[in-house]
Amino acid sequence: MNTCLICQSKISPFLSFGKMPLANGFLNPSDFSSEYFFNLTVCFCNTCNMVQLGELVDRNKMFHENYAFYSSTSAFMSEHFKNASETIITDYLNNVTDPFVIEIGSNDGIFLKHFSGRKIRHLGIEPSKNVARVAKNNGINTLSEFFDEKLSKQIVKKYGKAHIIFSANVMCHIPYMHSVIDGIKQTLAPNGLFIFEDPYLGDIVEKTSYDQIYDEHAFYFSVSSISYLMGMHDLEVVNVQRQNVHGGSMRYYIAHKNAMTVSPSVINMVAYEKKKRLDELSTFEDFKSRVNESKKQLVRLLIKLKDRGEEVIGYGATSKSTTILNYCNISPKLLSYICDTTPIKINKYSPGMHIPIRSYKEFSKSTIKHVLLFAWNHKEEILLKEKNFLANGGKFITYVPTVSFLLK
Ligand code: SAH
Ligand code: TMP
Ligand code: ZN
């Protein structure tokens, strides 16, 4: 029996996907025979309400000099982070003398470029060297290290405390959470704010978006579990806001305990989560049944299309697609190839199922009518971009919230 990464209580596994490869482990044929696999299992902690993985993958296997996810590939996310930076500057930094902003997991600089552009003192922490290099080349002050308590001490010594610490889609990647939160506590100025956002457990359960579950996502946060965690470190959730990105995210505002007034949004979301029973194991057991059903339906549809002689391809070789393809056992026989815009993924093969990844140009040239939309979280952006494909009778297949053809 495993113990909780947050509170050390016994945790209950509720869903096992079996052996899984690294979600971003796109590979060449010469690497097929040595491909790494681990047991993907999700567990619930009845004490602190944290949903988490049962088996963890070594961080050096996931975040390195060939990290395949470049944040700026999405125009929609670029806009999202531009808005976030502007709100932060207006609401919190305009009256601060010599403000200092830190981002944890700054990737290619998608967020911090708005601070470097305004000559605001900033520091990005980004262990994946290839994406960190892109940011550095664009004039963003970046440290290519894993953030934790030890690093925070060096940062404070060199730069002083931060008025804002920001982090998007990174906290849920970090199993050594107590070290990170201790580090944040020590780095945050007395009236500073730690603002972070991650995919929201409430959305994952509601949309049965089980493809959010993969090696890099060690945690699936709720306001209730985050409140418990912050309380352990004398920090406080002072505001929360739902975000319409990555299939439904939550932005959390964290301050030193008693430093700021707590917004009613926090109490309201905790009440909402109680109503949705995000604090009960049975909710996750029901989720598991829906996941099984979703798998059956997707496989059934792909087999039906194949039997009719229809070729199906994928759109977006997302990290999420690794869970779908491997759990549903979708091989190149059912899905010929996946198109993607990320150069590092093109001409490689998908983790586990070894489906070829081709360039986006092939999608624009192809006459294939059925396309499985793995990048469903970028749906708005993609539907706008692919008007011609749809006008010519093309159809996007989705599996979120249920297996269906996407309506325009
Ligand atoms: N913030 C970006 C990137 C998210 S991807 C966005 O929202 O698009 C997750 C990133 O977290 C990766 O770039 C990875 O290298 C980084 N990461 C993982 N562990 C980290 C740690 N301990 N400290 C800082 N960054 C980390
Ligand atoms: P994400 O879901 O983890 O953000 O990854 C998105 C992936 O989808 C990334 O590999 C880039 C790819 N993609 C496209 O190929 N075309 C697009 O229009 C978008 C938005 C993403
Ligand atoms: Zn716990």
Side-chain angles (χ1 to χ4, degrees), residues 247-266:
S249 288
M250 185 69 78
R251 185 177 288 167
Y252 306 85
Y253 292 74
I254 314 295
H256 289 288
K257 200 165 173 59
N258 300 325
M260 287 187 195
T261 336
V262 178
S263 148
S265 64
V266 180

Side-chain angles (χ1 to χ4, degrees), residues 44 60 69 73 93 174 205 262 291 372:
F44 170 67
N60 296 307
F69 179 72
T73 46
L93 297 180
I174 310 185
V205 169
V262 178
V291 171
L372 183 52

Side-chain angles (χ1 to χ4, degrees), residues 14-41:
F14 60 86
L15 171 57
S16 179
F17 293 96
K19 291 273 176 219
M20 280 280 161
L22 303 173
N24 271 311
F26 296 88
L27 68 183
N28 292 313
S30 56
D31 301 321
F32 286 175
S33 60
S34 58
E35 192 168 9
Y36 171 84
F37 289 88
F38 73 105
N39 282 309
L40 182 63
T41 306

Side-chain angles (χ1 to χ4, degrees), residues 78-202:
S78 293
E79 191 60 25
H80 172 75
F81 288 125
K82 179 173 184 269
N83 293 338
S85 67
E86 283 167 0
T87 312
I88 288 172
I89 292 170
T90 316
D91 292 354
Y92 307 113
L93 297 180
N94 270 346
N95 297 324
V96 178
T97 351
D98 190 24
F100 178 42
V101 177
I102 291 179
E103 185 183 11
I104 302 174
S106 44
N107 201 276
D108 58 10
I110 189 168
F111 171 78
L112 279 183
K113 69 177 181 193
H114 302 290
F115 296 86
S116 71
R118 288 176 169 87
K119 308 255 179 300
I120 295 177
R121 231 161 33 95
H122 63 275
L123 177 66
I125 321 287
E126 178 44 68
S128 298
K129 294 217 164 19
N130 57 334
V131 291
R133 202 175 307 121
V134 175
K136 282 184 197 171
N137 289 342
N138 286 324
I140 297 158
N141 193 17
T142 308
L143 198 57
S144 203
E145 302 276 356
F146 287 97
F147 183 85
D148 58 11
E149 204 219 343
K150 197 165 151 238
L151 189 73
S152 79
K153 287 200 162 55
Q154 295 168 27
I155 293 173
V156 175
K157 206 164 155 198
K158 187 160 175 198
Y159 301 92
K161 296 207 174 193
H163 303 95
I164 294 288
I165 302 178
F166 185 79
S167 194
N169 309 303
V170 176
M171 284 302 121
C172 72
H173 291 63
I174 310 185
Y176 39 101
M177 187 55 89
H178 289 305
S179 167
V180 166
I181 304 295
D182 278 340
I184 286 168
K185 170 103 186 145
Q186 291 170 33
T187 313
L188 196 64
N191 281 315
L193 270 177
F194 166 41
I195 305 173
F196 74 101
E197 59 188 54
D198 281 287
Y200 177 50
L201 180 67

